[in-house]
């Protein structure tokens, strides 16, 4: 083969290797093609530690996200919402309501709890969150609503959950969503499609509490 | 009359750069919706690169010649880069991450530039191989974007996917028909019997 032939083969192999590395990088090793899928694979592979983020709940009580990050006998299903949302957050709320019913029916109150985090602290004050919780008939015993105390902590919270929030032209936000699981080890260890709480619960029950 | 063609020739040298500046200025608008991003910006950058290669003419083809026999690595690069930016996770990163945004513009312009420089030396069989692979890949991606029930990109709403998918399908069809027109009217593929050396090329 002529020299240009070898060079061309080398260049072709180089381009193919580069492409393979780029595709593998962006899809987290060919695990998924969407950002949500990539996040799901990433969280499952490397569970995330919860930082010390100052929160305030619907009753005005101060707490830290780290409180959920301590090893515990209870797991927590988390969603991120803003109360005025009329799109995906309704699905998130419906999913958690369904989980609340299942938790009651199966007597899992001391094993599973729910947390709804708002990323709109400006509008979602404790009073607004409390009203939202009443509308959803949330059981205070195991379903808590909270938001960040200080808006400067918001980017850190969104980054932890890989939630992208963009202002839409109607005064609201467009954003992605997921149903997250904080495991008994206190780490953010799973992300599920927001409209499939059934899969999330089945996954938890299959592994068995305490596993 | 002879002076007139010269002016466009001078302008032509600057045109790719001016067009790129145009993309830079309008990129917030172009990336505001998924359909504009996938249907205007991505193909626009690739075409811009191809146009820059045609402006450079034979000089460029000769410069690449020894590493790019039959245009193989150049066309492969074009195929891989255009495929890469149709991955929803890559599109998200390009909007959210400045480094990825720069990588997107650079890689797409380079892809168009290398594909444009490789086209004339590729021969009909290699041209057909890459074009048809690109067409089915793009067509499949466009149809998947239209059919996907879940939100594909974090930065674009699910209701924008249909329009974006249709734009991608239209580009696949434009590519296919442009190539068919090229084989019929420029390379006259169907006018003569293939010579063995043409097939080998």
């Amino acid at each position: 083969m002529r020299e240009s032939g070898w060079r061309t083969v080398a260049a072709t192999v180089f381009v193919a290797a580069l492409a393979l590395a780029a595709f593998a990088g962006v899809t987290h090793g060919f695990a998924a093609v969407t950002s949500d899928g990539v996040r799901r694979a990433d969280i499952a592979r490397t569970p995330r530690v919860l930082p010390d983020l100052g929160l305030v709940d619907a009753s005005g009580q101060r707490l830290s996200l780290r409180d959920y990050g301590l090893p515990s006998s209870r797991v927590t299903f988390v969603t991120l919402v803003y109360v005025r949302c009329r799109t995906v957050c309704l699905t998130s709320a419906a999913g958690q309501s369904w989980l609340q019913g299942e938790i009651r029916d199966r007597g899992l109150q001391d094993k599973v709890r729910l947390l709804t985090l708002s990323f709109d602290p400006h509008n979602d004050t404790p009073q607004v969150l409390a009203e939202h919780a009443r509308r959803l008939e949330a059981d205070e015993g195991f379903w808590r609503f909270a938001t960040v105390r200080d808006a400067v902590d918001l980017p850190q919270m969104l980054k932890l959950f890989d939630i992208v929030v963009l202002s839409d032209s109607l005064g609201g936000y467009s954003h992605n969503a997921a149903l997250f699981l904080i495991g008994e080890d206190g780490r953010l260890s799973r992300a599920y499609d927001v409209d499939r709480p059934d899969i999330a619960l089945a996954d938890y029950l299959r592994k068995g509490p305490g596993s | 009359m002879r002076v007139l063609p010269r002016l466009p020739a001078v302008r032509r040298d600057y045109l790719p750069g001016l067009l790129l500046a145009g993309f830079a200025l309008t990129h917030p608008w172009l990336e505001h919706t998924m359909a504009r991003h996938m249907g205007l910006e991505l193909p626009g950058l690739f075409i811009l690169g191809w146009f820059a290669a045609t402006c450079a003419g034979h000089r460029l083809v000769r410069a690449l010649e020894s590493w790019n026999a039959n245009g193989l690595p150049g066309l492969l690069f074009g195929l891989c880069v255009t495929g890469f930016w149709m991955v929803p996770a890559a599109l998200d990163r390009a909007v959210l991450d400045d480094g990825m945004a720069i990588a997107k513009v650079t890689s797409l312009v380079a892809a168009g530039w290398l594909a444009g420089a490789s086209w004339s030396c590729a021969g009909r069989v290699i041209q057909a191989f890459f074009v048809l692979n690109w067409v089915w890949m793009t067509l499949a991606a466009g149809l998947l974007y239209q059919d996907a029930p879940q939100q594909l990109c974090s930065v674009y709403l699910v209701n924008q996917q249909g329009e974006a998918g249709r734009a991608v399908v239209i580009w696949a069809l434009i590519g296919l028909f442009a190539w068919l027109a090229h084989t019929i009217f420029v390379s006259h593929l169907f006018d003569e019997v293939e010579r063995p050396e043409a097939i080998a090329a």
Side-chain angles (χ1 to χ4, degrees):
Chain A
M1 196 153 52
R2 286 176 302 137
E3 197 184 338
S4 71
W6 287 114
R7 283 181 175 178
T8 298
V9 169
T12 306
V13 170
F14 175 71
V15 169
L18 200 67
L20 207 62
F23 275 98
V26 84
T27 60
H28 209 282
F30 302 101
V33 294
T34 64
S35 295
D36 284 352
V38 169
R39 169 182 57 196
R40 188 179 307 136
D42 189 45
I43 289 176
R45 211 171 291 178
T46 329
R48 299 176 184 179
V49 174
L50 302 184
D52 184 19
L53 273 180
L55 302 177
V56 57
D57 75 1
S59 61
Q61 195 184 331
R62 290 167 165 241
L63 68 150
S64 166
L65 190 60
R66 178 67 59 76
D67 298 344
Y68 285 86
L70 303 170
S72 154
S73 59
R74 299 170 97 184
V75 299
T76 312
F77 284 106
V78 189
T79 58
L80 280 89
V81 302
Y82 73 104
V83 169
R84 287 179 300 136
C85 180
R86 287 290 160 263
T87 55
V88 67
C89 298
L90 297 178
T91 313
S92 301
Q96 282 194 316
S97 287
W98 181 86
L99 280 171
Q100 173 173 258
E102 290 294 312
I103 291 165
R104 274 200 197 121
D105 292 350
R106 294 168 189 267
L108 295 169
Q109 288 93 329
D110 56 346
K111 295 190 174 67
V112 183
R113 57 190 167 178
L114 302 172
L115 174 64
T116 302
L117 291 172
S118 164
F119 51 75
D120 186 12
H122 181 68
N123 290 302
D124 295 345
T125 56
Q127 294 76 13
V128 172
L129 289 175
E131 177 56 33
H132 185 56
R134 262 195 298 280
R135 274 199 304 272
L136 293 171
E137 297 173 359
D139 187 328
E140 281 180 28
F142 61 93
W143 188 354
R144 207 165 185 187
F145 295 75
T147 188
V148 286
R149 275 206 297 275
D150 191 339
V152 295
D153 289 334
L154 205 53
Q156 197 187 353
M157 182 172 87
L158 295 175
K159 177 92 185 99
L160 172 72
F161 293 97
D162 277 332
I163 296 287
V164 177
V165 180
L166 307 160
S167 292
D168 65 20
S169 50
L170 306 167
Y173 304 105
S174 72
H175 63 98
N176 58 338
L179 179 62
F180 298 93
L181 176 74
I182 300 170
E184 285 157 347
D185 61 356
R187 291 188 298 173
L188 184 64
S189 52
R190 284 280 187 279
Y192 301 92
D193 286 339
V194 72
D195 57 348
R196 298 309 302 265
D198 51 333
I199 292 178
L201 184 66
D203 200 26
Y204 165 72
L205 292 172
R206 187 171 52 81
K207 286 184 188 124
S211 64
Chain B
M1 286 302 286
R2 289 234 167 158
V3 179
L4 283 176
R6 268 191 192 170
L7 281 173
V10 172
R11 277 188 202 150
R12 227 171 93 121
D13 288 347
Y14 295 107
L15 206 51
L18 287 173
L19 286 172
L20 192 59
F23 274 109
L25 289 171
T26 53
H27 89 95
W29 180 81
L30 284 167
E31 290 169 17
H32 189 68
T33 73
M34 200 177 193
R36 274 182 234 152
H37 197 169
M38 298 194 77
L40 291 177
E41 189 180 297
L42 301 186
L45 290 168
F46 182 86
I47 292 167
L48 174 71
W50 190 299
F51 178 55
T54 61
C55 292
H58 288 295
R59 280 171 301 166
L60 176 64
V61 177
R62 274 198 299 277
L64 294 172
E65 210 167 28
S66 66
W67 291 91
N68 195 31
N70 298 318
L72 196 63
L75 288 172
L76 181 65
F77 187 75
L79 184 72
C80 292
V81 169
T82 48
F84 179 82
W85 294 110
M86 283 192 274
V87 175
L91 203 65
D92 267 338
R93 298 268 312 269
V95 174
L96 296 170
D97 184 338
D98 289 344
M100 282 293 272
I102 293 167
K104 179 191 77 181
V105 173
T106 317
S107 65
L108 277 165
V109 173
W113 187 72
L114 280 170
S118 306
W119 181 257
S120 59
C121 56
R124 292 165 189 170
V125 175
I126 289 179
Q127 285 175 354
F129 173 82
F130 279 102
V131 169
L132 293 174
N133 266 297
W134 177 83
V135 167
W136 81 252
M137 173 185 78
T138 308
L139 207 57
L143 294 174
L144 283 172
Y145 265 85
Q146 290 180 65
D147 279 349
Q150 78 273 40
Q151 185 177 348
L152 294 173
C153 286
S154 303
V155 295
Y156 296 115
L157 289 177
V158 68
N159 59 12
Q160 296 188 12
Q161 289 168 196
E163 208 183 329
R166 279 190 288 281
V168 171
V169 166
I170 288 169
W171 276 110
L173 295 176
I174 289 173
L176 179 66
F177 287 113
W179 171 73
L180 280 174
H182 184 268
T183 57
I184 294 166
F185 300 114
V186 181
S187 45
H188 300 287
L189 188 65
F190 305 110
D191 292 358
E192 52 181 310
V193 178
E194 286 268 357
R195 284 165 291 129
E197 59 267 30
I199 295 170

